[in-house]
Amino acid sequence: MAASSSTAATTNIMLAIFEKKTNSTDLYRPLRNYVAFHYSEREAHNIEDDLQTLKQLRSDLERHSDPSLTARRDLLQSYYRALCLVETRFPISSDPDHVNTLSFVWFDAFKPKLKATQQNIHLEKAAVLFNLGAVYSQIGLSYDRNTVDGRRQASHAFIAAAGSFAYLRDNAAMKASIGSSTTVDLSVECSGMLERLMLAQAQECVFENTIAKGSTPVVCAKISRQVGLYYEEALAALNVAPLNQHFDKSWLAHVQLKAALFFGEACYRYGLELHEKEEIAEEIARLRSGVNALIEAKKSSKGAPAQILDAISKLEANLNRNLERAVKENDRVYLMRIPSPSSLAPLPAFSMVKPMAMNEVLDASKEKMFASLVPDSSAKSLSRYTEMVDEIIRTQAEKLQQASELTRIRLKEMELPDSILALEGNLTLPTHLKEDVEAVQISGGPAGLEAELQQLKDLRRVNQEMLVQTEDLLQKEAREDAQFRSQFGTKWTRPQSSTLTKNLQDRLNRFAGNLKQAAESDGRIERAVREHAALMAILDSRPIESALPSLARPIMSLDANEDAIVGSLKQSLRQLESLGAQRAGLEDMLKEMRRKDDILPKLMTSTGSHEDLFKKEITKYDHICEEIAQNIDAQEQLLLQIQDQNDEFSAIFNLEDYRASREKCYKQIEAAIAKYREIKDNVNEGLKFYVTLQDAITNVKQQCSDFIMTRNIQCREMIEDVQRQVAGLSFQDTKTTAPSSSGYLSMGHQPQRSYPPDSRPQTGYYQPLPEQPSAAGYAQPPPYGSAHQPPPPYHMPHPSTAPYPSQVPQQQPAGHDYGQPAYPGWRGPYYNAHSQQPSSVPRPPYTIPGPYPPHQSGYYKQQ
């Protein structure tokens, strides 16, 4: 099928950029006043012509005096170069010492109602660059693209426009965007988008010429695809801030349709190539992709030119025609499976255009304007020479640094001088291992674990003793209560001890269970220490390097030349070190020469060519450059020699076996450190647990002591009451008589003991919880104490305030962690014998239900 042009005759529509508008600005008077004030009236008179030229350039820019686009282009280029000269000589800002009466005003090219006003030259330069790109785009649009030459000239103009916008983006856009008064058209994003758009139109001209020349379908497809890619990049910029709200919808529709059009064109051309190769399956997939892209693009074609829509329709008809033909051939002949669009490789693309470099066009270094204002020639000449010297210094310094780095790498590869030091017994350990070992040794090392294990035993013993003492106190009180209850019978009406001490007994049982589990965890730690003592013993070596294997001399030697080999290798290493020191001296010499190199007096008095002076002065660096080259060459030869000597050394001293044993030792040290840290962490958790548990037991013991004291007082008072009843006193007399004013003999005829009225204990201590029935003897108002007593210090709160949940709700005072985990935060294998069951709140590892009745100990049961 002939590769007829599907779009060339119908897409002759492109975009040009309108210039930015500005207000009239007088440059002459502010600049002349600045020179007259800061220099002299004579200097101001000398630059009169230059100021008039600058004024005329600005006036022509404002008035569009010449309608020719090429003349407009030349004006903008000349004015930009003049601005560059103004920038280096006239500081324009609001500063009182600057040109502070000059402001530039420019309106947005796409939204003319918006404007920017700045008191600096950056806005002026950016606007001129923007207008230069706009004029180039208008020049490109002005050519007749129905001819080959016209298309080629248009492509060059669009390339120049892309170069102008790229130069704006890279050199002026950021400076012009600083400040509150800016416009979007001078932003980095907008200039970048316009650069892509101009490149797309330049590549489109190339594509049209390619079609006209009758190039192969695959070439046309590559060039067409690149046109689409440039349009897609411009479209991506238009769809994001700050451009997505700044451009008219017709811009978006134009760029989007062009991107889809040239993607479809690439699919069409590439399909022709595939058809010739009889790759029907991929041809069908490519043609379908092109058709789908065109259909999708037409959905957002509102505001698009009819010319582009017509081109899309024609291209879609061509694609469908070829697609129908390919499908029929595949169904009848090839019977190939059609690949999915996502599995296809991207279409090949080839760019024929790039932004024009504007550095030479806009270079102001050759301009003569304002040359007499300052001694610029000497300053520029000195700068040129300084650049030459800096280049020499930078190049030579890089050579020296590279040589030193090469030496370091080569010696590390040969393990020098470490292997020589190992032979002499000067062993070294990798830095990270040495730091870890030092940390272990500072913390006591494996040898210190025994003392810490003993500390665990001592703390456990103390906790056990305190627990036994506490249980003894409660059991003694219970026996005394039972004895009096047996003696007095029904007259002994106070509650039984077991009903009042149930919560205390439960907590003591839990503590006993915790201690039992802790003892098992301690045993696991002790076994771990014993089992890994041999492994961890290496960490007690001081210094740790003494545990490393040494490089031994061979047992048998045929020619006994080991010493000679080692000696020659050491000598070569010393020579290499000497070369390194020489390089450091050469680098310092370069810096010193650069510091002292001042040719400004010679420049001020020289009447000849400055270039000749530069060539003469720069030769002073030739000698040191030659020394640097010789040093680097000598080092290279020496490294080759060291390599040969090291190979011989390695063979004689069997370095391979030494390296293997050394690595094995490193791994042993690493394993020992890991095991020590594991055990150390477990020990620390154990110590923390016992200290916490000791505080809890101490608290409960104090509660038990207070409880027993209160019960003893109650016991004496009840004995007095019973004795009164036996003596025949009435119950009313007992109720109205102050018990503290007289004493009764207690059991065993002990001497009487009196108490002051304000010190008598109150009967609110250890009152039964709401769940427990009150004792019969306390059903009536308490005989001891007033109705306005302070709250009892050991009153038990509601069970919901207990700090740890348990299987069965238990009464437990708030604020005391008596059912706490053995080791807070423990997650390791020790002190966690029972795994947690899934629940809303994880069960602490030591809070286990007491296996014994509440009136006796679980772990320390009395015999």
Side-chain angles (χ1 to χ4, degrees):
M1 184 176 182
S4 62
S5 174
S6 61
T7 60
T10 57
T11 58
N12 192 12
I13 180 170
M14 292 185 179
L15 295 177
I17 313 300
F18 290 108
E19 288 187 57
K20 291 171 64 68
K21 304 299 181 182
T22 183
N23 287 344
S24 179
T25 300
D26 179 24
L27 298 178
Y28 174 85
R29 184 57 54 188
L31 298 185
R32 193 186 190 287
N33 292 341
Y34 176 83
V35 175
F37 181 81
H38 288 85
Y39 293 90
S40 65
E41 183 61 32
R42 180 179 178 181
E43 289 289 347
H45 179 74
N46 290 338
I47 65 169
E48 185 73 25
D49 293 341
D50 294 335
L51 288 174
Q52 289 291 347
T53 302
L54 182 66
K55 178 181 178 181
Q56 187 62 42
L57 289 172
R58 183 56 155 102
S59 178
D60 293 342
L61 183 71
E62 297 165 2
R63 294 187 294 107
H64 287 265
S65 57
D66 192 337
S68 169
L69 289 175
T70 55
R72 186 72 177 173
R73 175 200 63 195
D74 296 340
L75 170 65
L76 289 167
Q77 292 176 356
S78 298
Y79 183 55
Y80 183 85
R81 290 192 291 266
L83 290 176
C84 292
L85 299 175
V86 170
E87 183 180 12
T88 59
R89 291 164 173 81
F90 300 95
I92 301 174
S93 73
S94 59
D95 191 288
D97 294 330
H98 292 177
V99 182
N100 55 16
T101 60
L102 184 59
S103 296
F104 299 101
V105 179
W106 286 92
F107 296 87
D108 193 290
F110 306 104
K111 290 191 174 182
K113 293 183 179 180
L114 303 178
K115 69 177 181 178
T117 304
Q118 295 185 16
Q119 274 187 294
N120 65 65
I121 204 168
H122 301 307
L123 175 62
E124 185 82 346
K125 292 176 66 178
V128 171
L129 285 174
F130 183 94
N131 282 357
L132 181 60
V135 168
Y136 269 124
S137 71
Q138 296 171 24
I139 292 174
L141 210 61
S142 68
Y143 288 113
D144 181 11
R145 289 170 49 231
N146 291 317
T147 65
V148 174
D149 288 340
R151 288 188 291 264
R152 182 169 60 252
Q153 291 173 340
S155 178
H156 291 166
F158 289 132
I159 289 173
S164 299
F165 289 121
Y167 195 87
L168 166 63
R169 178 196 62 206
D170 298 335
N171 297 279
M174 186 62 69
K175 296 177 182 178
S177 299
I178 297 175
S180 58
S181 182
T182 61
T183 52
V184 174
D185 57 348
L186 294 182
S187 65
V188 173
E189 294 82 1
C190 186
S191 54
M193 183 276 294
L194 293 175
E195 177 207 11
R196 297 287 100 182
L197 179 61
M198 294 299 108
L199 287 177
Q201 297 187 156
Q203 181 87 0
E204 185 175 348
C205 293
V206 175
F207 171 73
E208 293 172 356
N209 268 347
T210 304
I211 295 296
K213 289 189 299 183
S215 299
T216 62
V218 67
V219 172
C220 295
K222 291 180 179 179
I223 296 176
S224 174
R225 182 64 191 119
Q226 186 60 53
V227 177
L229 289 176
Y230 282 138
Y231 276 118
E232 288 171 11
E233 292 172 0
L235 179 64
L238 286 169
N239 279 322
V240 297
L243 306 184
N244 57 344
Q245 301 297 327
H246 196 73
F247 284 83
D248 187 76
K249 297 291 185 181
S250 60
W251 273 74
L252 201 64
H254 177 93
V255 176
Q256 185 172 0
L257 289 176
K258 278 294 188 81
L261 177 65
F262 283 95
F263 174 78
E265 184 71 33
C267 292
Y268 172 76
R269 301 289 169 177
Y270 199 69
L272 296 177
E273 180 72 12
L274 293 172
H275 192 79
E276 291 180 3
K277 296 180 179 179
E278 297 185 353
E279 297 177 6
I280 302 300
E282 185 177 353
E283 178 191 5
I284 294 174
R286 295 291 185 187
L287 293 175
R288 286 176 177 172
S289 296
V291 172
N292 292 336
L294 294 180
I295 293 174
E296 189 66 26
K298 287 195 297 184
K299 294 179 180 178
S300 57
S301 60
K302 185 178 180 180
Q307 199 170 357
I308 299 180
L309 294 174
D310 183 55
I312 287 180
S313 298
K314 291 181 179 180
L315 177 59
E316 184 179 1
N318 290 338
L319 286 168
N320 284 323
R321 183 176 62 254
N322 288 0
L323 176 60
E324 182 180 359
R325 179 199 60 189
V327 170
K328 288 181 179 179
E329 292 179 0
N330 186 55
D331 293 340
R332 296 174 182 176
V333 181
Y334 298 99
L335 301 177
M336 294 182 179
R337 186 179 63 84
I338 310 302
S340 63
S342 60
S343 65
L344 297 176
L347 285 171
F350 184 76
S351 177
M352 299 291 290
V353 298
K354 65 179 180 179
M356 186 176 76
M358 304 297 292
N359 293 324
E360 293 184 5
V361 177
L362 302 176
D363 183 22
S365 61
K366 298 180 181 179
E367 298 290 328
K368 304 299 182 182
M369 185 179 288
F370 305 119
S372 61
L373 185 59
V374 290
D376 198 37
S377 59
S378 297
K380 287 186 177 180
S381 296
L382 181 61
S383 177
R384 166 66 179 152
Y385 177 77
T386 301
E387 291 177 358
M388 296 171 61
V389 173
D390 288 345
E391 179 65 24
I392 292 176
I393 300 298
R394 182 168 55 252
T395 302
Q396 298 303 317
E398 288 178 356
K399 290 182 178 180
L400 292 172
Q401 293 172 3
Q402 290 173 0
S404 299
E405 182 66 14
L406 177 63
T407 300
R408 186 189 66 80
I409 294 174
R410 296 282 292 276
L411 290 179
K412 185 176 181 180
E413 291 174 351
M414 292 184 283
E415 296 190 10
L416 290 174
D418 292 346
S419 56
I420 298 295
L421 295 175
L423 182 63
E424 297 173 349
N426 298 322
L427 305 173
T428 58
L429 197 65
T431 304
H432 70 282
L433 274 183
K434 187 172 181 62
E435 292 175 352
D436 290 343
V437 172
E438 289 177 351
V440 168
Q441 293 178 346
I442 290 174
S443 65
L449 291 177
E450 292 296 334
E452 296 186 359
L453 290 177
Q454 184 60 43
Q455 191 175 1
L456 282 177
K457 295 179 181 178
D458 294 342
L459 286 173
R460 186 172 71 246
R461 176 181 52 79
V462 169
N463 279 279
Q464 290 173 342
E465 292 175 353
M466 291 176 58
L467 197 61
V468 171
Q469 293 171 4
T470 305
E471 291 186 340
D472 287 346
L473 290 175
L474 294 179
Q475 292 176 3
K476 179 180 178 182
E477 193 278 331
R479 288 194 299 270
E480 292 177 353
D481 180 71
Q483 180 179 355
F484 286 118
R485 193 175 304 279
S486 174
Q487 179 177 352
F488 294 108
T490 59
K491 295 180 180 180
W492 195 258
T493 60
R494 71 171 183 172
Q496 293 185 3
S497 295
S498 59
T499 62
L500 299 179
T501 62
K502 181 179 183 301
N503 290 329
L504 294 176
Q505 286 287 359
D506 289 345
R507 274 178 274 165
L508 292 178
N509 290 338
R510 287 197 296 273
F511 292 159
N514 289 346
L515 279 175
K516 184 176 181 180
Q517 291 186 8
E520 296 173 356
S521 299
D522 293 347
R524 287 193 291 271
I525 294 179
E526 293 176 3
R527 287 194 299 274
V529 171
R530 290 195 302 271
E531 292 171 358
H532 300 94
L535 172 65
M536 296 187 296
I538 194 172
L539 300 179
D540 286 325
S541 302
R542 297 176 184 269
I544 187 60
E545 288 80 6
S546 62
L548 298 177
S550 60
L551 181 60
R553 293 178 175 271
I555 299 176
M556 297 181 62
S557 177
L558 298 178
D559 49 9
N561 62 344
E562 296 88 355
D563 292 337
I565 293 174
V566 173
S568 61
L569 185 55
K570 287 182 178 179
Q571 183 179 359
S572 298
L573 291 174
R574 285 193 292 268
Q575 292 175 1
L576 190 64
E577 185 178 359
S578 176
L579 288 175
Q582 182 185 2
R583 284 196 301 276
L586 291 173
E587 188 171 2
D588 292 340
M589 190 184 302
L590 272 174
K591 295 178 181 178
E592 184 66 17
M593 290 179 64
R594 172 67 183 83
R595 187 181 65 83
K596 294 180 178 180
D597 194 3
D598 183 13
I599 66 167
L600 183 59
K602 296 181 181 180
L603 279 174
M604 299 298 293
T605 58
S606 175
T607 57
S609 172
H610 287 171
E611 291 297 327
D612 295 337
L613 178 62
F614 294 164
K615 292 178 181 178
K616 179 181 178 181
E617 292 295 324
I618 210 74
T619 55
K620 68 169 69 81
Y621 293 95
D622 291 345
H623 177 68
I624 191 170
C625 292
E626 184 178 353
E627 289 187 19
I628 291 174
Q630 291 176 356
N631 179 281
I632 294 175
D633 291 340
Q635 174 185 275
E636 186 62 31
Q637 296 299 322
L638 188 58
L639 284 173
L640 293 175
Q641 176 181 324
I642 291 175
Q643 180 68 59
D644 295 337
Q645 293 172 343
N646 188 63
D647 292 343
E648 190 175 4
F649 174 80
S650 300
I652 293 178
F653 287 87
N654 197 10
L655 282 185
E656 291 298 327
D657 291 347
Y658 166 71
R659 294 190 187 103
S661 60
R662 183 187 59 189
E663 291 300 322
K664 181 179 179 181
C665 186
Y666 288 166
K667 292 180 180 179
Q668 180 183 354
I669 293 175
E670 290 176 350
I673 292 173
K675 181 54 64 177
Y676 173 81
R677 287 174 173 172
E678 177 187 343
I679 295 176
K680 181 72 173 178
D681 291 343
N682 292 335
V683 170
N684 290 338
E685 290 295 330
L687 294 175
K688 187 189 302 182
F689 162 73
Y690 283 126
V691 170
T692 305
L693 184 62
Q694 184 175 351
D695 293 341
I697 295 176
T698 301
N699 200 336
V700 173
K701 183 178 179 181
Q702 181 61 44
Q703 291 187 33
C704 292
S705 298
D706 295 343
F707 167 78
I708 292 171
M709 181 188 69
T710 303
R711 292 281 285 182
N712 288 338
I713 294 174
Q714 292 176 350
C715 177
R716 287 192 293 271
E717 292 174 349
M718 184 162 287
I719 291 175
E720 293 173 359
D721 292 342
V722 171
Q723 289 177 345
R724 288 192 186 98
Q725 294 176 10
V726 172
L729 295 177
S730 68
F731 178 80
Q732 183 64 30
D733 292 340
T734 305
K735 182 176 181 180
T736 56
T737 302
S740 60
S741 62
S742 62
Y744 295 89
L745 287 177
S746 62
M747 193 167 200
H749 304 285
Q750 296 179 358
Q752 296 179 358
R753 184 177 300 173
S754 62
Y755 297 90
D758 57 350
S759 65
R760 183 173 303 281
Q762 301 174 356
T763 59
Y765 289 174
Y766 293 99
Q767 55 186 337
L769 293 172
E771 297 88 346
Q772 299 168 341
S774 300
Y778 290 87
Q780 56 185 342
Y784 314 114
S786 64
H788 301 286
Q789 306 177 35
Y794 296 99
H795 175 68
M796 301 298 181
H798 192 274
S800 63
T801 62
Y804 296 96
S806 60
Q807 300 293 339
V808 180
Q810 298 178 0
Q811 297 295 331
Q812 188 168 339
H816 301 285
D817 297 337
Y818 303 132
Q820 58 191 334
Y823 291 1
W826 175 251
R827 294 294 184 272
Y830 296 110
Y831 297 97
N832 195 9
H834 302 285
S835 60
Q836 296 180 355
Q837 299 296 327
S839 62
S840 59
V841 180
R843 186 172 61 85
Y846 287 82
T847 306
I848 59 174
Y852 302 103
H855 60 274
Q856 70 181 64
S857 166
Y859 189 70
Y860 301 100
K861 181 179 179 181
Q862 294 293 329
Q863 301 296 328

